[in-house]
Amino acid sequence: MSKLSNMHQPLVTHIFTADPSAHVFEDRLYIYPSHDLDHDGPVNDNGDQYKMEDYHVLSMAGPDSPVTDHGEALHVKDVPWASRQMWAPDAAFKNGTYYLFFPARDHEGIFRIGVATSPSPAGPFKPEEHYIDGSFSIDPAVFIDEDEQSYMLFGGLWGGQLEKWQTGSYVEHAEGPASDAPALGPRIAKLSEDMLSMASEAMEILIVDQEGKPLTAGNEDCRYFEGPWMHKYNGKYYLSYSTGTTHKLVYAIGDSPMGPFTFQGTILPPVSGWTTHHSIVQFQEKWYLFYHDCSLSGGIDYKRCVKLAELTYNSDGTIRMIDPYPEK
């Protein structure tokens, strides 16, 4: 067994990176992170400290290989509809084209999700003139099922504005559900064949406990906060996400990408920094978790670094919890 020299180590140190979405394209691991900026601006629950303006694409021949930074793939100044805050992206390949999905605030300060295309997984990416109609909030994650149907998951609380869309329209001062009410779930929509629009209206994914009851908003150890990701293992759909306020990566399992999903447990306990955001990908015969922490900056929450760890399953399909700091 080869030693994973990159295990639990920052994949790059020349820039700050976060929110890694990993995929296998052209027999390489490609990672699509957000790009944290070094600044001294305000820090608040609205997320103003996350000033990201562009995306760099990273790639590696394997999990223990050197990492290549392919440079700037897309900048907010090149996106006609966007004004600021290019947060966590994702990528997909279909129809011979690579797609980059990304959130940003429009010119009215409302988060929307856009898409850009490229003939290469490394970019650069050319953005569509308008954001995806019907999109809102943050953290797009695209899942392509075995039947080639594509889905986009998205949504994040607080600065991600998900609470503001409970009526189906943007309500500036809307608050989240009461602590004993069902928690807000991520949204999911089918994507069109050309991957540039929604083929169905976004619906909320239901996440339930082992007794089949909806997770409540006050259950901060389990309920959804942001950063959805979907993968498939042994015929089951796995929905993983961040709990936000309790700083964990957790997961639920279901029989359909549309849900419902039954909560299972923790993938990654809290790491250095407030946010946690991830992706899960199979490369050759093994599975890997890509995540971030703030170790590169000494704990500064908006100066993060992308890392990876091997992910393993128990015989019943549950995921074994990963120790993010095994050497301590």
Side-chain angles (χ1 to χ4, degrees):
M1 178 175 165
S2 62
K3 180 180 182 293
L4 296 180
S5 58
N6 289 321
M7 184 80 79
H8 300 292
Q9 301 299 317
L11 293 185
V12 293
T13 58
H14 64 291
I15 58 174
F16 292 111
T17 53
D19 312 316
S21 292
H23 295 272
V24 178
F25 295 140
E26 300 178 357
D27 298 320
R28 286 179 67 86
L29 278 165
Y30 278 84
I31 304 103
Y32 300 84
S34 53
H35 177 198
D36 285 342
L37 299 181
D38 189 354
H39 67 87
D40 297 312
V43 175
N44 52 47
D45 288 343
N46 195 46
D48 290 337
Q49 62 270 37
Y50 305 112
K51 293 181 176 292
M52 298 88 94
E53 296 177 351
D54 67 347
Y55 299 113
H56 283 231
V57 177
L58 311 177
S59 76
M60 50 207 305
D64 56 351
S65 301
V67 179
T68 299
D69 179 355
H70 295 276
E72 184 180 282
L74 180 66
H75 195 283
V76 68
K77 64 178 171 50
D78 298 319
V79 182
W81 62 265
S83 64
R84 64 189 188 280
Q85 291 185 298
M86 301 268 275
W87 285 5
D90 192 20
F93 176 72
K94 195 172 184 179
N95 310 321
T97 298
Y98 293 91
Y99 299 84
L100 183 69
F101 295 84
F102 60 94
R105 289 183 187 266
D106 65 15
H107 295 288
E108 296 180 345
I110 299 174
F111 269 110
R112 304 288 187 175
I113 296 170
V115 59
T117 57
S118 176
S120 166
F125 287 85
K126 180 181 179 181
E128 294 293 298
E129 186 174 350
H130 301 288
Y131 58 76
I132 297 173
D133 189 39
S135 70
F136 55 91
S137 196
I138 60 170
D139 292 351
V142 174
F143 171 74
I144 302 178
D145 209 346
E146 292 162 353
D147 63 0
E148 294 300 311
Q149 176 61 59
S150 302
Y151 301 84
M152 182 173 70
L153 298 88
F154 61 94
L157 302 181
W158 295 13
Q161 302 179 342
L162 188 57
E163 298 98 329
K164 302 179 187 302
W165 289 93
Q166 294 173 84
T167 65
S169 300
Y170 183 83
V171 180
E172 174 64 34
H173 299 293
E175 297 182 356
S179 61
D180 59 350
L184 294 178
R187 302 304 198 263
I188 187 169
K190 291 183 178 181
L191 290 174
S192 59
E193 181 61 27
D194 67 4
M195 304 286 280
L196 302 179
S197 63
M198 292 182 183
S200 68
E201 187 175 346
M203 61 165 281
E204 185 173 2
I205 295 176
L206 176 64
I207 307 171
V208 301
D209 63 18
Q210 293 289 327
E211 297 177 350
K213 298 177 181 178
L215 297 182
T216 60
N219 184 359
E220 297 184 25
D221 281 317
C222 304
R223 66 90 176 87
Y224 178 80
F225 188 91
E226 65 185 0
W229 186 262
M230 188 173 289
H231 75 279
K232 200 171 186 179
Y233 177 75
N234 284 352
K236 296 288 188 178
Y237 297 88
Y238 287 65
L239 171 67
S240 46
Y241 55 90
S242 169
T243 60
T245 51
T246 50
H247 320 297
K248 297 188 296 184
L249 293 176
V250 299
Y251 73 107
I253 296 177
D255 295 318
S256 164
M258 311 301 281
F261 286 84
T262 302
F263 184 85
Q264 301 295 318
T266 300
I267 299 172
L268 191 74
V271 296
S272 169
W274 199 95
T275 67
T276 190
H277 194 115
H278 75 299
S279 57
I280 295 170
V281 66
Q282 184 179 21
F283 183 76
Q284 297 175 354
E285 299 302 314
K286 295 185 177 182
W287 288 84
Y288 298 93
L289 173 78
F290 285 77
Y291 65 101
H292 69 233
D293 69 11
C294 297
S295 57
L296 183 62
S297 65
I300 300 174
D301 184 53
Y302 54 89
K303 299 178 185 178
R304 298 160 291 182
C305 56
V306 167
K307 298 183 172 185
L308 74 98
E310 188 173 346
L311 181 143
T312 56
Y313 300 87
N314 296 306
S315 59
D316 63 357
T318 56
I319 296 173
R320 295 175 185 164
M321 189 170 69
I322 294 170
D323 180 358
Y325 304 111
E327 298 179 358
K328 290 188 176 181

